[in-house]
Amino acid sequence: MHMADALVSPAIAAGTGAIAATLIAVAASKVKKIRRDDIIPLMGVMGAFVFAAQMINFAIPGTGSSGHIIGGVLLSAVLGPWAAFITLCSVLIIQCLVFADGGLLALGCNILNMAATSCLIAYPLIYRPIAGSTVKPWRITLAAVLASIVALEIGACGVTLETELSGITALPTSTFLAFMLPIHLAIGAIEGIATAAVLCFLAKYRPDTLYGESGASEHSGDGRGGSVSRRLRPVLIGFGIATLVFAGAFTWIASSNPDGLEWSIEKVSGISDMPSATPPTAIMPDYDSRFAGIVGALIVMVMLWAITTIIFHRIRSVKK
């Protein structure tokens, strides 16, 4: 669902960018209040995992389209919504600047359509009320599927609205939306099932890893944010291994079909390749290296570790 610059006008880019920057600032202030000792390593590893998982485009049967997970609901269920929002924003920023995945002008739109809808809307309003504080698999599965679908559908509406307000394309709004909603419904359902599988596994073997469960709330720990307990190490190692597998194998197992947004544009306009400006920092445009996944995952992890370490270092400095 990464929008290209060709869909966004400067005015919409500025407006969505300002909203996204404001939400990031609010999220940073919220993260400062987290008293979870493992938040720094967990954000780093989970961010790298979602980056790698997003690279695996899965085919949507019978459509000629493909999709990839967003990861916001998964991140929120482990990290909490605000820490998840910062984590997913970091993934989107690295994708844009280093790999030219999503336009620079469209970065604000992409943050709102993917990170905000999944972490700040679908998770608190859909996932948490349904999943509750239990670890019952059926509730987690239902919550994950519905939250993922809602997040993708709101994001699809956002893309359509932002494109219409930009006024620089000739895409008929109603027709564009008629293609965007069904294809992202299917993508959301698949993401929900994948998210549920991961969360049900954690609920069974490491329930304390889930946000809101024992030992994983905003108010647990001493606020150092960087220590790793023995119980958490297997989780970090597991997600680390999965990250390497996804990042290393994406060029062989990812579908080459256009994603839901590209497919919808092609169906409406007949244009199969939307032009987009490549940011000057993009060292691997379109992931044109077999090591792009691993490099990107490492960059995301380092970026998140640096951001959260600075946040918690400032907290300790103020307390002194």
Side-chain angles (χ1 to χ4, degrees):
M1 195 188 288
H2 293 75
M3 294 181 72
D5 287 342
L7 297 175
V8 182
S9 68
I12 295 300
T16 56
I19 296 173
T22 301
L23 288 176
I24 291 173
V26 172
S29 69
K30 296 289 186 179
V31 169
K32 290 179 182 180
K33 300 177 182 179
I34 294 177
R35 297 296 181 265
R36 185 175 178 180
D37 295 342
D38 55 26
I39 193 66
I40 292 178
L42 203 53
M43 286 177 69
V45 172
M46 290 299 297
F49 173 77
V50 166
F51 173 88
Q54 281 196 16
M55 300 179 71
I56 308 299
N57 277 46
F58 46 82
I60 307 300
T63 65
S65 177
S66 68
H68 63 74
I69 74 161
I70 301 301
V73 175
L74 172 62
L75 289 173
S76 298
V78 176
L79 303 171
W82 293 107
F85 180 71
I86 287 182
T87 301
L88 191 48
C89 285
S90 299
V91 170
L92 295 173
I93 290 169
I94 294 301
Q95 287 173 335
C96 172
L97 296 181
V98 180
F99 301 99
D101 190 3
L104 186 58
L105 280 176
L107 182 57
C109 294
N110 290 329
I111 287 176
L112 296 183
N113 297 337
M114 289 186 275
T117 57
S118 57
C119 300
L120 305 183
I121 298 177
Y123 173 77
L125 298 182
I126 306 296
Y127 181 89
R128 286 304 299 177
I130 296 175
S133 59
T134 69
V135 290
K136 295 181 179 179
W138 74 267
R139 292 187 66 168
I140 291 175
T141 300
L142 179 61
V145 171
L146 290 181
S148 297
I149 289 174
V150 168
L152 267 292
E153 293 292 81
I154 295 176
C157 290
V159 170
T160 306
L161 178 62
E162 289 150 4
T163 302
E164 171 65 17
L165 292 177
S166 292
I168 59 177
T169 67
L171 298 174
T173 303
S174 58
T175 306
F176 188 29
L177 189 62
F179 281 104
M180 286 287 285
L181 290 180
I183 197 65
H184 285 95
L185 173 64
I187 295 171
I190 295 174
E191 172 171 359
I193 293 171
T195 298
V198 176
L199 294 180
C200 286
F201 180 86
L202 291 176
K204 182 176 181 179
Y205 295 102
R206 285 291 186 272
D208 56 322
T209 305
L210 298 179
Y211 177 76
E213 301 303 324
S214 175
S217 70
E218 282 190 351
H219 305 292
S220 64
D222 61 8
R224 292 175 296 168
S227 62
V228 180
S229 66
R230 290 183 178 180
R231 288 181 60 81
L232 182 66
R233 287 173 187 169
V235 176
L236 296 179
I237 292 172
F239 277 111
I241 293 173
T243 298
L244 292 176
V245 171
F246 288 154
F250 87 97
T251 54
W252 290 279
I253 64 177
S255 171
S256 59
N257 292 339
D259 68 16
L261 173 56
E262 295 167 342
W263 177 85
S264 298
I265 293 174
E266 183 177 352
K267 289 294 183 180
V268 175
S269 67
I271 300 174
S272 60
D273 188 17
M274 287 295 293
S276 61
T278 300
T281 55
I283 58 176
M284 296 181 182
D286 297 320
Y287 306 98
D288 61 355
S289 168
R290 62 186 301 180
F291 300 108
I294 295 175
V295 171
L298 289 175
I299 293 175
V300 168
M301 184 181 297
V302 170
M303 178 179 178
L304 283 165
W305 277 46
I307 291 172
T308 49
T309 298
I310 290 172
I311 290 174
F312 286 104
H313 175 74
R314 288 182 176 179
I315 292 175
R316 291 194 296 269
S317 298
V318 170
K319 287 182 176 180
K320 290 180 180 179

